[in-house]
Amino acid sequence: MSDADKLQGHALPGVAEALRRAALRARELARQTHTPVVVYRNGKVESQIPDDTARAGGAERREG
């Protein structure tokens, strides 16, 4: 077992949750400033404008 494998078990448990919190904060800030959020979904890059459900991760797709 490499050192990286040993660290992975200890260092990564909180990473997914931290990324979720960062995404929610980014969506909330984008909602407040009427700024689109760029996401990669289903193999495509999409621009979305967060709606009032941004705190729950909601966003509406933006055409163009």
Side-chain angles (χ1 to χ4, degrees):
M1 182 180 283
S2 71
D3 288 340
D5 292 334
K6 290 176 188 174
L7 287 176
Q8 212 170 28
H10 298 288
L12 295 182
V15 171
E17 184 58 32
L19 287 172
R20 279 188 207 94
R21 285 192 311 265
L24 287 174
R25 279 190 222 130
R27 287 185 194 285
E28 177 62 18
L29 180 60
R31 186 190 65 76
Q32 291 172 357
T33 59
H34 307 287
T35 305
V37 176
V38 178
V39 296
Y40 183 77
R41 180 176 291 151
N42 298 326
K44 292 183 176 181
V45 176
E46 298 178 359
S47 177
Q48 301 176 339
I49 297 180
D51 56 20
D52 288 337
T53 62
R55 287 186 182 98
E60 64 182 54
R61 286 181 61 179
R62 181 180 184 194
E63 301 298 324

